[in-house]
Amino acid sequence: MSKYYVYIWSDPFTNIPFYVGKGQGKRAFNNHAGQRCYNKLRKLLENGAEMSSIVRIMHDNITEQEAFDIEEKL
């Protein structure tokens, strides 16, 4: 089934990516508490950034294996 996607979280003030992940549904827009990038995300949100300006869907409608492969390359 092709229901996965690969996303990047980028600092909207610098456009520097700080996290690459794969997901389904609204995964890319969740805070991922406990992940290594959580502190960076929390600080961006505290400084007025919106998740919609942080998240970029790079590849959509792909299989889980394709998502793993792309995530690893990115």
Side-chain angles (χ1 to χ4, degrees):
M1 292 176 87
S2 300
K3 57 183 177 178
Y4 288 84
Y5 57 84
V6 176
Y7 62 96
I8 292 178
W9 285 352
S10 297
D11 182 326
F13 304 110
T14 65
N15 288 324
I16 297 173
F18 63 94
Y19 183 78
V20 176
K22 73 169 186 64
Q24 297 177 292
K26 297 190 184 285
R27 168 83 174 153
F29 296 90
N30 294 336
N31 286 346
H32 300 13
Q35 293 287 343
R36 67 184 183 281
C37 63
Y38 178 70
N39 287 336
K40 172 76 173 174
L41 178 62
R42 183 179 49 78
K43 287 177 185 176
L44 287 171
L45 294 172
E46 287 173 359
N47 287 316
E50 299 285 332
M51 284 303 288
S52 60
S53 67
I54 295 169
V55 176
R56 256 189 316 182
I57 305 297
M58 302 303 292
H59 298 273
D60 196 11
N61 198 30
I62 56 178
T63 67
E64 185 175 25
Q65 186 59 53
E66 289 171 319
F68 274 125
D69 294 343
I70 294 168
E71 180 184 27
E72 185 175 299
K73 287 178 185 175
L74 293 175

